[in-house]
Each structure stands twice: as C-alpha cells, then as structure tokens.
Amino acid sequence: MNSFEQIKSTIPEGVTLVAVSKTKPNEAILDVYNQGQRVFGENKVQELVDKYEALPKDIEWHLIGHLQTNKVKYIAPFVALIHAVDSLKLLQEINKQGLKNNRIIPCLFQFHIADEETKFGFDQQEIDILLKSEAFAELKNIQINGVMGMATFTDNQQQIESEFQSLKLIFDELKSNFFSDSQSFQTISMGMSGDYQLAIKSGSNMVRIGSAIFGGR
Ligand SMILES: *Cc1c(COP(=O)(O)O)cnc(C)c1O
C-alpha cells in the first residue's frame, strides 16, 4: 500500500478526508486524484487558484488556512468549503462575493481551542453575539456547515483530546441553540496527520491530512 491508501484505510465511513496538498506539485495531487480522492485542501489563496486552474474540474477545493478579506474574490467562484471563518467582517465579504457569483458559499466557523495565542478563531461568547446579530441574519449567500479547530502543537495526548472534545461540545451547543433546523450544519473539521485518530475518537467527521499522505514539507 502507498501512503494515500494506507491513510485512507484508517478513515471510517462518514468521515471526510481532505487531502492537504499545500506546497505539493500538481503531479503529486494528480497521483492521489487518480486513486479516487476528490477533496483537496490548500492554505494559501494564490496557490489554490493556480491549482484549481491547472487540475481537473471535479476536484472539490477547500481553503483550510486563514483568509484575508481582500482575497475572498479570487476563490469565490469555485471554492467548495472555507474552513477558517473567524470574523463577521470576513463572513460579510464572503456573502458579498457569493452574491456576485450567484452562489451560496459553504463556510465553517473556526474556533480557538488551543492554548496558543497565535491561532485564529472565535470563542463561544463572540459566536453567540454574532449569531444573534441582525447583520448575520441578513447574509443569504453563505451557508454555515459547521466548525473547525486546531489543537495545540504538543505531545500531550490528553491535552489534545480535551481540546478536540471542547470543539465537539461547541458544535453540539451551536447545533441545538442556533442550527437545529439546519440541514447543512453537520461538519466538525478537526484532526491533522499527527492527531487525526484522536480527533475522530472525539467526534471529528472531517480530517485535514497533508504530510502523512504527501510526505514532509
Ligand atoms: C497544513 C495544514 C493541515 C495538514 O497538516 P499535516 O500535519 O501536514 O497533516 C491541516 N490543517 C491546516 C489548517 C493546515 O494548515
């Protein structure tokens, strides 16, 4: 088995594998594509656009990295899921570009679950305020599909697990408080090469795996 097959065989049904292809050449992506993978993730807008243009059009492209407001327009025509929405301002811009492109753009709210100050994301109080706001209610060209988070970069498995569990709790609370009628609010995007099995155990249903498939960067 090659590394893609190996990883793929460990992902249970019902968990979406996002193959994180950042910094990897198109040939490497095509190799995994030819083994049946269709969902790929990138963390930089320019690289995502270049790869979208060069590669087969049935690839579902996810932007998994931090997104600046002024770059939304470049990916709005085709992006399948934006993982790291972390402000109302960004959501409003995604909505505006969705409208321009006559589409509804699927998004995840990124939450700050790690004990590192450098990671982006909402906390629970901020999301409550946002979801109750009129400004949010006006957004018709975005769709909230769920939540995303990144655990602390540490060897402490217990800490990672408890951070993943906290994101699962946030998801459950948002689902019952704000999205109980939503068909689309279903996704918990957590887990990378080093911690995806722990993430799945904690309730993840979307894992973002790069180096374990494509090798180190
Ligand atoms: C790079 C990246 C990943 C994948 O990381 P690996 O450790 O290579 O699996 C997942 N999520 C985000 C947001 C990333 O930037």
Side-chain angles (χ1 to χ4, degrees), residues 20 22 64 148 150 192-193 208-211 217:
V20 176
K22 62 191 187 197
I64 61 171
M148 177 269 205
M150 270 189 278
M192 320 192 342
S193 291
R208 309 178 307 268
I209 301 182
S211 49
R217 289 179 295 269

Short mmCIF file of all heavy atoms in Angstrom, two decimals, residues 20 22 64 148 150 192-193 208-211 217, ligand 1:
data_model
loop_
_atom_site.label_atom_id
_atom_site.label_comp_id
_atom_site.label_asym_id
_atom_site.label_seq_id
_atom_site.Cartn_x
_atom_site.Cartn_y
_atom_site.Cartn_z
N VAL A 20 -4.54 17.43 2.17
CA VAL A 20 -3.94 18.77 2.22
C VAL A 20 -2.68 18.80 1.35
O VAL A 20 -1.65 18.22 1.70
CB VAL A 20 -3.64 19.19 3.67
CG1 VAL A 20 -2.92 20.54 3.70
CG2 VAL A 20 -4.94 19.25 4.49
N LYS A 22 -0.97 21.49 0.12
CA LYS A 22 -0.18 22.74 0.10
C LYS A 22 1.30 22.46 -0.11
O LYS A 22 1.82 21.48 0.45
CB LYS A 22 -0.39 23.52 1.40
CG LYS A 22 0.06 22.79 2.65
CD LYS A 22 -0.42 23.51 3.91
CE LYS A 22 0.18 22.89 5.15
NZ LYS A 22 -0.54 23.27 6.38
N ILE A 64 -8.32 25.87 3.72
CA ILE A 64 -8.24 25.50 5.14
C ILE A 64 -7.51 26.53 5.98
O ILE A 64 -7.57 26.50 7.19
CB ILE A 64 -7.57 24.11 5.31
CG1 ILE A 64 -6.14 24.14 4.77
CG2 ILE A 64 -8.39 23.03 4.63
CD1 ILE A 64 -5.35 22.89 5.11
N MET A 148 -14.58 24.32 12.81
CA MET A 148 -13.21 23.84 12.55
C MET A 148 -12.31 24.30 13.69
O MET A 148 -12.54 25.35 14.27
CB MET A 148 -12.73 24.43 11.23
CG MET A 148 -11.32 24.11 10.84
SD MET A 148 -10.13 25.33 11.41
CE MET A 148 -8.82 25.09 10.21
N MET A 150 -8.05 23.71 15.55
CA MET A 150 -6.72 23.10 15.58
C MET A 150 -6.26 22.98 17.02
O MET A 150 -6.32 23.95 17.78
CB MET A 150 -5.72 23.97 14.82
CG MET A 150 -5.65 23.61 13.36
SD MET A 150 -4.27 24.48 12.58
CE MET A 150 -5.05 26.05 12.27
N MET A 192 -5.31 16.42 12.09
CA MET A 192 -4.30 16.51 11.05
C MET A 192 -3.47 15.22 11.08
O MET A 192 -3.84 14.27 11.77
CB MET A 192 -3.42 17.75 11.27
CG MET A 192 -4.25 18.94 11.71
SD MET A 192 -3.57 20.59 11.73
CE MET A 192 -1.82 20.44 11.67
N SER A 193 -2.34 15.20 10.35
CA SER A 193 -1.58 13.95 10.26
C SER A 193 -1.27 13.33 11.63
O SER A 193 -1.41 12.13 11.82
CB SER A 193 -0.26 14.18 9.52
OG SER A 193 -0.52 14.45 8.17
N ARG A 208 -8.13 16.79 8.08
CA ARG A 208 -7.30 17.50 7.10
C ARG A 208 -5.89 16.95 7.19
O ARG A 208 -5.14 17.26 8.10
CB ARG A 208 -7.30 19.00 7.43
CG ARG A 208 -8.69 19.61 7.63
CD ARG A 208 -8.59 21.09 8.01
NE ARG A 208 -7.71 21.31 9.15
CZ ARG A 208 -8.10 21.34 10.42
NH1 ARG A 208 -9.38 21.22 10.74
NH2 ARG A 208 -7.22 21.51 11.40
N ILE A 209 -5.55 16.09 6.23
CA ILE A 209 -4.29 15.35 6.35
C ILE A 209 -3.35 15.67 5.18
O ILE A 209 -3.72 15.47 4.02
CB ILE A 209 -4.57 13.84 6.43
CG1 ILE A 209 -5.45 13.56 7.66
CG2 ILE A 209 -3.25 13.06 6.51
CD1 ILE A 209 -5.76 12.09 7.87
N GLY A 210 -2.19 16.19 5.51
CA GLY A 210 -1.21 16.56 4.50
C GLY A 210 0.00 15.66 4.48
O GLY A 210 0.11 14.75 3.66
N SER A 211 0.91 15.86 5.42
CA SER A 211 2.21 15.20 5.36
C SER A 211 2.12 13.67 5.41
O SER A 211 2.95 12.99 4.79
CB SER A 211 3.13 15.73 6.46
OG SER A 211 2.47 15.73 7.70
N ARG A 217 6.97 18.54 4.34
CA ARG A 217 7.07 19.75 3.52
C ARG A 217 8.35 20.51 3.84
O ARG A 217 8.78 20.57 4.93
CB ARG A 217 5.87 20.67 3.81
CG ARG A 217 4.58 20.13 3.26
CD ARG A 217 3.42 21.06 3.59
NE ARG A 217 3.19 21.16 5.00
CZ ARG A 217 2.34 20.39 5.70
NH1 ARG A 217 1.64 19.47 5.09
NH2 ARG A 217 2.22 20.54 7.00
C1 LIG B 1 -1.14 22.12 6.83
C2 LIG B 1 -2.45 22.02 7.50
C3 LIG B 1 -3.01 20.77 7.78
C4 LIG B 1 -2.33 19.46 7.49
O1 LIG B 1 -1.23 19.30 8.29
P1 LIG B 1 -0.39 17.89 8.29
O2 LIG B 1 0.25 17.88 9.62
O3 LIG B 1 0.57 18.00 7.16
O4 LIG B 1 -1.37 16.80 8.11
C5 LIG B 1 -4.27 20.75 8.37
N1 LIG B 1 -4.94 21.87 8.67
C6 LIG B 1 -4.42 23.10 8.40
C7 LIG B 1 -5.22 24.30 8.75
C8 LIG B 1 -3.17 23.21 7.82
O5 LIG B 1 -2.66 24.42 7.55
#
